Amino acid sequence: MALGMGKYIIGGNRGLLNPESDESGKLEKVGSSLSSTSKKDKFRRHCRRFWCIYLIANVIFLAIFLPVFFLVAIPAIAQLVVNKSDLRIVNAEVMHPTTDTVRMTLEAKVNLKLALGVRLDPVVFYTFVRSAGHENAYAGIEIPGQTIKGNYSLGVTDQLTPILNMTSWETFVGQTVFQKETALSLYGVTTGYLGVLKNHIVLDKDVVIPTLNKFEGFSIADSTLLLPAEDDGSNLVANLTLPNPSALSFEVGTITLDLKSGNTDLVIGNATVKDVTLKPGNNTFPLRGVVDIGTIVSNLTEVVSSQGSAIRRGALSLTAVTRSIVSNGTLIPYYTKVLGSLPLVADVSIGDILRNSLAHIGSSGLLSDSDDKRRRGPVQLDGPVGYGDAYNQVAGLKHDRHVQKIFEDEDPERRDAMIDALARYYASL
């Protein structure tokens, strides 16, 4: 009976409990959801309760952050953009030099690497030597206000520019002449506008540019001795070449040169090169000069000994040293000083001198006249007192071994004819 009563026991027909149907997990989820909802409600209630405090805190934060952002961060970013921008000199010209002014043209390419345009107030870019500092700038270039964007060209054309510091200017000219490259240092302070944002900008850059490198490749070609001398006393004409590998152009003026034999201090003549303007590339100018035959003859041993290595190369070595530079009738002291400290050495082909000079002598009739005198024997003393001695002094060089060495590649008769012509010219001095 006890067994039969089992079906009437409460819960007796539920069978075994199924673990998968356990409701405890649902209870935990409900508890967790209630807890999360409770936290959000608490946070909302907290914000509603203390909103005034949070508002004041945000106002204080913005009051501190915004001025820092606009007064410090934005200008710093603008300055960084300027510092990182590429600046390249495309063209620079220094023209119409006087003792204290030049006329400058400067064209530069600047790439701000910024999509937005930047408007700049007018600015003076000071050019200076880095070692001397921008306080000792040698020139100030006034750039008008403009908006620059992307890869942009800016600069000035033919601007009259006073030389502000002569020492710095001479240093820059010296670096330009003697060095292979130098830095064109620029300094300027302006205000830039990026939209409505106004920023203080300082430009302080060194732009490296190729320079004259001591006129490497200097040469004197097409040299011709003029016999007799021209009315102005010139007895030498040639073409002088001054290379300029830079992007700079310089108007120099008229250069007067002392001509020396080889590496000696013996001045054997002078030359003038007019209206020199150095533009990028090779610059060739006509040279006119006076070779002092008397000095050469009187110092023949020193002259020949100084030409030893050059003669072995089939050339004569001439050293040209700047004595003065004049532009528009005014002596330009800074160019004279710098170029005067740079001796320019050139090998002048002996063959070219002989061919050009003999051709000139032949065209002037002196060659045949000299041939007649040589065939007639010693010169007749029918000129001023001492004429024959002067003539024979030079004519006797035909038998000097050093002179024969110089003219060894020439036909002896043509060599003697040229020496006779030189003798006649010397005797007539």
Side-chain angles (χ1 to χ4, degrees), residues 185-258:
S185 299
L186 297 170
Y187 179 85
V189 178
T190 187
T191 301
Y193 300 87
L194 184 60
V196 297
L197 299 178
K198 177 180 177 181
N199 302 294
H200 182 74
I201 295 174
V202 177
L203 181 124
D204 189 355
K205 278 188 174 292
D206 291 336
V207 184
V208 177
I209 54 176
T211 44
L212 299 175
N213 194 25
K214 299 181 181 178
F215 294 108
E216 183 178 0
F218 165 79
S219 64
I220 297 176
D222 306 318
S223 302
T224 304
L225 288 173
L226 307 178
L227 300 174
E230 297 188 347
D231 294 340
D232 62 357
S234 299
N235 62 0
L236 171 69
V237 294
N239 287 320
L240 177 145
T241 298
L242 294 169
N244 178 7
S246 75
L248 303 174
S249 296
F250 288 92
E251 181 180 341
V252 180
T254 296
I255 305 177
T256 300
L257 303 162
D258 284 332

Side-chain angles (χ1 to χ4, degrees), residues 223-427:
S223 302
T224 304
L225 288 173
L226 307 178
L227 300 174
E230 297 188 347
D231 294 340
D232 62 357
S234 299
N235 62 0
L236 171 69
V237 294
N239 287 320
L240 177 145
T241 298
L242 294 169
N244 178 7
S246 75
L248 303 174
S249 296
F250 288 92
E251 181 180 341
V252 180
T254 296
I255 305 177
T256 300
L257 303 162
D258 284 332
L259 301 179
K260 298 182 179 182
S261 176
N263 58 357
T264 69
D265 290 328
L266 178 64
V267 178
I268 59 173
N270 61 76
T272 300
V273 186
K274 293 184 177 181
D275 302 325
V276 174
T277 296
L278 299 175
K279 296 182 178 180
N282 285 334
N283 299 268
T284 300
F285 308 96
L287 174 150
R288 298 179 64 83
V290 177
V291 175
D292 191 337
I293 305 296
T295 298
I296 294 175
V297 172
S298 301
N299 298 274
L300 186 61
T301 302
E302 182 180 357
V303 170
V304 172
S305 64
S306 70
Q307 299 292 336
S309 60
I311 289 173
R312 286 191 288 273
R313 298 191 299 270
L316 297 175
S317 178
L318 279 182
T319 300
V321 179
T322 298
R323 185 200 304 168
S324 67
I325 296 177
V326 174
S327 180
N328 297 314
T330 301
L331 178 70
I332 309 300
Y334 42 86
Y335 286 163
T336 299
K337 180 178 180 180
V338 172
L339 292 178
S341 62
L342 176 64
L344 298 172
V345 181
D347 279 353
V348 181
S349 170
I350 294 175
D352 285 348
I353 294 175
L354 289 173
R355 281 190 295 271
N356 297 333
S357 300
L358 288 171
H360 174 76
I361 291 172
S363 65
S364 64
L366 287 176
L367 185 58
S368 59
D369 186 32
S370 191
D371 282 337
D372 290 341
K373 285 184 176 289
R374 182 165 47 84
R375 285 193 296 269
R376 290 198 302 267
V379 67
Q380 303 299 315
L381 299 179
D382 53 359
V385 176
Y387 182 92
D389 293 337
Y391 176 89
N392 290 327
Q393 182 181 6
V394 177
L397 294 174
K398 290 181 287 188
H399 309 295
D400 186 283
R401 62 184 180 86
H402 296 294
V403 176
Q404 290 176 352
K405 174 67 176 176
I406 294 174
F407 294 99
E408 63 182 355
D409 295 330
E410 291 297 319
D411 178 75
E413 289 193 2
R414 292 178 64 83
R415 176 198 67 201
D416 292 348
M418 183 177 180
I419 293 175
D420 282 338
L422 288 172
R424 293 183 66 235
Y425 172 72
Y426 177 55

Side-chain angles (χ1 to χ4, degrees), residues 133-151:
H134 64 81
E135 302 87 356
N136 297 306
Y138 53 80
I141 302 171
E142 299 177 5
I143 304 292
Q146 54 199 289
T147 299
I148 62 177
K149 181 179 179 180
N151 196 9

